[in-house]
Amino acid sequence: MTKLADISAPDSTQPPVTVGFFTACGIVIANIIGTGIFTSLGFQLSDIQSGFPLLMLWIVGGIAALCGALCYGELSSALPRSGGEYHFLTEIYHPAVGFMAGFVSATVGFAAPVALAAMAFGKYFHGVCNFGSPLVLSFALVWIVTLFHFGNLRRGTVFQNVWTIVKLLLIATLIGAGFLIQPKQPISFLPAAGDTTSIFSGAFAVSLVYVMYSYSGWNASSYIISEVKQPERTVPRSLIVGTLVVTVAYVFLNAIFLATTSESEMRGQLEIGLIAGKHIFGENGGRVVGAIICLGLISAVSSMTWIGPRVTMSMGEDHWLLRFLGRKNTYGVPANAVIVQLLIVNVLLLTRSFELVVVYIQFALLLCSLLTVLGVFVLRVTRPNISRPYRVWLYPMPPFIFAVITVWMMVYLIASKTTESIAGLVTAMVGFLLYFCAGNRVSPRQ
């Protein structure tokens, strides 16, 4: 049984440094490849039907994610501590801005993607086996995975790596088999008349929100820097390599979905992987694909259950009002933070609205990642002499490109999905104001 420490004082127990380059890459890949790639194409097809703009969505999203990864790589090497945006924004701007980002991460940044992955798991499992309630299956998954992560960190590392490999094998199989299917759908991926207008339209910008949700997680290893071996080198490399691997996989996989399955069948549907799998492998083969997708979603839930509580743990170590979140069990796991995230996930599962939750969380997450990437500019001006074992390639282009794409999405998002976007912005502002109620840091950190 997990022993929860007394919450009266902050815990100085340090988590074991066990995460190497392979596992760090696996965490990035597992965090990115979650529900989005197997679900979002159906929503995109509602407004965009041409093959070239649809693939450009995933290429532009990959470029933005890679630019973000390059920037986070520099920040991770210059400011090596677990916590992600919470730590970066605290050091770059002000503790209140960092607290805002930490609050977003703690309340929806990780809990919501866990809930979305669990929702997809429940739907896929029910579609494959025609057994059980999707909602009950979603709850069962998050509880089982959470209980597993209370234990030894090395065991969690093995668990994570195995499921990440399963997920990559699934995608490689789908892509390979898709190339062999004949005949293909009558869709072209070459530019056609009207495609330029489509790419610069509001519909493209809003669809890019779903794509960026699918890419969210490109910054995953920056949240567990304290548990990574040689973090100044390992974290930047893992961010870049993991993001590149996923970008290539996403572009090819969406091309296969579009080439093998009619748009009318996928439009507005959530279980895109299952629908396309049936076209690629037949009815029974499609069920096998759906089952493997279920297994792949386990790694997404696992990785976010691992890294999400590390953000709230860092907040608990810094602020007396939240100090109970900084407590660790005998294995060095932030047990109280894990429990808090689990409770939030349970509440989000009860909403049962996949699309609403995606749009709601994306605006707040885009804001936090935008401020963090712009922090590369700020830190180079305010602290030019700080040690930077890794520097952004082709600076200043990556942070500039990321900022332009992100602002473009946010403008169209707040115009077309006003209520959800304002809700996300309000969530961020609540976090900012709560800083002034949470007290000062327990102890100064260098």
Side-chain angles (χ1 to χ4, degrees):
M1 180 177 178
T2 301
K3 294 169 62 178
L4 298 185
D6 180 12
I7 64 172
S8 60
D11 188 2
S12 60
T13 303
Q14 295 298 315
V17 181
T18 61
V19 178
F21 173 71
F22 180 80
T23 301
C25 280
I27 290 172
V28 173
I29 293 170
N31 250 260
I32 301 177
I33 306 177
T35 56
I37 185 59
F38 300 118
T39 56
S40 60
L41 183 58
F43 298 114
Q44 296 159 16
L45 284 168
S46 298
D47 298 310
I48 302 173
Q49 285 79 48
S50 180
F52 181 71
L54 285 168
L55 281 195
M56 282 302 299
L57 279 170
W58 296 94
I59 293 172
V60 171
I63 291 172
L66 181 59
C67 289
L70 291 169
C71 296
Y72 272 62
E74 176 170 318
L75 295 176
S76 297
S77 70
L79 304 170
R81 182 198 175 199
S82 292
E85 290 92 352
Y86 164 69
H87 172 56
F88 296 148
L89 298 183
T90 294
E91 297 293 334
I92 296 170
Y93 300 107
H94 186 276
V97 182
F99 194 90
M100 175 198 72
F103 179 78
V104 170
S105 293
T107 53
V108 296
F110 289 99
V114 168
L116 291 171
M119 286 181 195
F121 174 86
K123 287 183 175 293
Y124 270 103
F125 193 96
H126 180 75
V128 170
C129 302
N130 196 26
F131 167 79
S133 161
L135 182 61
V136 172
L137 291 167
S138 300
F139 275 107
L141 174 64
V142 296
W143 276 88
I144 292 171
V145 171
T146 298
L147 290 173
F148 196 92
H149 276 278
F150 273 118
N152 186 281
L153 186 59
R154 294 182 185 277
R155 190 169 60 203
T157 298
V158 173
F159 182 84
Q160 185 63 53
N161 288 342
V162 168
W163 290 117
T164 301
I165 291 171
V166 168
K167 181 182 293 187
L168 289 175
L169 288 175
L170 159 69
I171 291 176
T173 302
L174 279 172
I175 293 172
F179 276 113
L180 302 176
I181 294 297
Q182 295 295 339
K184 297 289 194 296
Q185 294 294 317
I187 187 169
S188 172
F189 298 117
L190 298 176
D195 283 353
T196 301
T197 302
S198 178
I199 289 172
F200 288 99
S201 68
F204 188 93
V206 173
S207 294
L208 193 57
V209 172
Y210 293 101
V211 171
M212 290 311 296
Y213 164 70
S214 302
Y215 276 106
S216 61
W218 49 262
N219 53 0
S221 57
S222 68
Y223 291 94
I224 57 166
I225 293 174
S226 300
E227 298 171 28
V228 177
K229 301 173 184 176
Q230 298 180 308
E232 293 84 358
R233 295 178 62 250
T234 302
V235 172
R237 288 168 56 209
S238 67
L239 292 171
I240 296 167
V241 172
T243 303
L244 282 172
V245 168
V246 173
T247 299
V248 173
Y250 273 9
V251 172
F252 276 99
L253 190 56
N254 277 278
I256 292 300
F257 286 163
L258 291 166
T260 59
T261 311
S262 66
E263 294 179 9
S264 59
E265 285 188 71
M266 295 188 290
R267 189 173 299 124
Q269 298 301 311
L270 187 65
E271 302 94 335
I272 296 298
L274 182 59
I275 295 170
K278 290 179 179 178
H279 280 269
I280 296 172
F281 297 105
E283 185 69 27
N284 292 330
R287 291 183 181 276
V288 173
V289 170
I292 299 175
I293 290 175
C294 287
L295 299 179
L297 289 171
I298 294 174
S299 73
V301 172
S302 172
S303 62
M304 289 181 283
T305 301
W306 184 348
I307 66 177
R310 270 60 181 180
V311 178
T312 44
M313 176 191 71
S314 296
M315 296 173 68
E317 291 173 344
D318 291 348
H319 300 278
W320 70 268
L321 193 63
L322 304 175
R323 68 197 317 175
F324 79 99
L325 294 173
R327 305 302 304 180
K328 306 177 188 69
N329 64 15
T330 54
Y331 298 109
V333 175
N336 293 346
V338 172
I339 292 173
V340 169
Q341 178 168 300
L342 175 63
L343 294 177
I344 297 172
V345 169
N346 282 209
V347 172
L348 291 174
L349 281 175
L350 294 174
T351 68
R352 304 188 187 186
S353 176
F354 189 94
E355 185 175 7
L356 184 149
V357 174
V358 169
V359 176
Y360 163 59
I361 65 173
Q362 271 307 97
F363 192 87
L365 295 180
L366 287 171
L367 175 63
C368 293
S369 59
L370 175 63
L371 290 174
T372 304
V373 167
L374 292 177
V376 174
F377 292 123
V378 176
L379 201 64
R380 289 216 180 182
V381 173
T382 59
R383 301 172 69 177
N385 297 323
I386 193 173
S387 174
R388 292 177 174 84
Y390 167 80
R391 288 175 175 265
V392 174
W393 298 340
L394 302 177
Y395 179 86
M397 291 307 297
F400 177 76
I401 292 171
F402 183 91
V404 169
I405 293 175
T406 302
V407 170
W408 179 47
M409 281 191 295
M410 292 175 70
V411 168
Y412 278 104
L413 191 59
I414 201 166
S416 61
K417 304 286 185 179
T418 306
T419 302
E420 296 90 336
S421 299
I422 291 177
L425 182 60
V426 168
T427 300
M429 291 302 98
V430 168
F432 182 83
L433 295 175
L434 279 178
Y435 164 78
F436 300 100
C437 302
N440 296 323
R441 288 186 168 192
V442 173
S443 58
R445 296 182 183 272
Q446 300 299 323

